[in-house]
Amino acid sequence: LARLLAKSVNCTDIQVNGEACTKCPSCLDIIENRSLDIIEIDAASHTGVDNVRENIIQNARFTPVKANFKVFIIDEVHMLSTAAFNALLKILEEPPKYVVFILATTEAHKVPSTIISRCQRFDFKKVNFNDLLARLRWMVGEEDVKVEDEVLSLIAKQSSGCVRDAESLLEQVLSLGEKNITLEQAELILPKSDYDLLYQLFSLIHQKKTADALEFIDNLVKDGVDVYLFIDGFVEFVRKILLY
């Protein structure tokens, strides 16, 4: 999204809805990763104040090479040190007119309030199940492969509203190389939660058989079951029982 925004602010033929044209020289430079005015910095590996001074502050003093704006995209910005944040704050308070900063993070609570107060903040929400399912159907159509709807629903459910996770799981399923993928084939790859196992554990807890329940969980671990995924499935299983 940061790259899309960088493309839009520098597009020479911006569309009515604010979208970039994707055809002008500026858009093509960004698409082909050869724009000198889009600077991407991974804060996770450049946490120190020296990196902020060299990569951002010094660089921001120079006007853009070709584009209207010089765009700094700082990924995982919460990883910056306190000294680095203080140095960044100076230029965020009074940025040059030709500079745009885009700060990306998955842990906004770790970013100092002094930084956040000087930014426009956009919180991304999880994608709902139906939209995610539609996206997966579209991708499968583009790949000219038939995948059972039950498989796509399972992927959408397991990705918990994250498009990147859903696409990654779908990619793994498509790696089977089949033109028509069934649920039975997909289960070779997709982590599954066995409802019989969920019911067995629930019964043991309901009957207060603590020792048997602990032994049951121990056997799951020995069998190589993804315990975290199993717990997620178990919580959902109990929730459905309560609703029922």
Side-chain angles (χ1 to χ4, degrees):
L1 188 61
R3 292 193 192 103
L4 291 174
L5 182 55
K7 200 187 300 178
S8 291
V9 297
N10 284 315
C11 181
T12 56
D13 186 23
I14 195 78
Q15 305 300 294
V16 179
N17 60 358
E19 293 284 342
C21 69
T22 70
K23 296 175 183 175
C24 70
S26 175
C27 285
L28 292 175
D29 281 349
I30 295 171
I31 291 169
E32 294 168 13
N33 290 319
R34 51 186 166 85
S35 174
L36 298 175
D37 296 315
I38 310 299
I39 299 103
E40 294 192 35
I41 298 164
D42 177 21
S45 53
H46 298 84
T47 60
V49 65
D50 290 338
N51 284 307
V52 169
R53 288 196 183 113
E54 291 168 15
N55 296 329
I56 300 174
I57 297 173
Q58 295 292 341
N59 210 331
R61 290 177 179 173
F62 300 101
T63 55
V65 178
K66 289 170 65 178
N68 296 325
F69 292 95
K70 183 172 279 192
V71 182
F72 291 89
I73 299 171
I74 309 176
D75 195 19
E76 301 295 347
V77 71
H78 67 273
M79 297 290 284
L80 290 178
S81 66
T82 303
F85 270 126
N86 289 335
L88 183 63
L89 181 60
K90 292 286 185 183
I91 196 164
L92 282 181
E93 287 177 326
E94 297 178 5
K97 292 182 178 179
Y98 51 80
V99 171
V100 173
F101 290 100
I102 303 174
L103 314 181
T105 179
T106 50
E107 300 184 54
H109 61 280
K110 291 185 179 179
V111 180
S113 56
T114 49
I115 298 286
I116 292 177
S117 65
R118 286 161 176 80
C119 302
Q120 290 188 51
R121 177 173 171 171
F122 300 93
D123 291 311
F124 298 160
K125 295 175 174 61
K126 290 184 177 182
V127 178
N128 71 53
F129 179 84
N130 290 332
D131 288 342
L132 202 49
L133 193 58
R135 169 75 178 172
L136 294 172
R137 284 171 180 158
W138 174 81
M139 290 180 69
V140 167
E142 290 292 302
E143 293 293 329
D144 196 25
V145 177
K146 287 186 177 178
V147 180
E148 287 184 359
D149 233 34
E150 201 171 353
V151 175
L152 298 180
S153 296
L154 188 60
I155 291 173
K157 184 180 178 183
Q158 289 190 1
S159 59
S160 302
C162 179
V163 179
R164 181 170 56 183
D165 289 354
E167 291 182 354
S168 177
L169 283 172
L170 179 61
E171 189 177 5
Q172 291 175 46
V173 170
L174 295 181
S175 70
L176 290 168
E178 302 289 337
K179 282 291 183 183
N180 194 351
I181 298 172
T182 64
L183 180 61
E184 187 179 359
Q185 291 170 320
E187 283 182 340
L188 294 171
I189 292 174
L190 294 176
K192 62 178 180 178
S193 182
D194 192 327
Y195 270 90
D196 286 338
L197 293 176
L198 297 174
Y199 181 72
Q200 286 176 43
L201 179 59
F202 180 79
S203 296
L204 291 172
I205 292 171
H206 183 252
Q207 294 167 31
K208 298 183 180 179
K209 295 182 178 179
T210 309
D212 290 344
L214 290 171
E215 186 179 355
F216 178 85
I217 293 167
D218 187 49
N219 288 332
L220 288 181
V221 175
K222 287 176 181 175
D223 290 341
V225 171
D226 186 329
V227 180
Y228 292 103
L229 186 68
F230 183 83
I231 290 168
D232 286 343
F234 185 71
V235 171
E236 178 66 14
F237 178 74
V238 174
R239 188 183 75 86
K240 286 179 176 176
I241 290 174
L242 289 171
L243 286 172
Y244 180 73

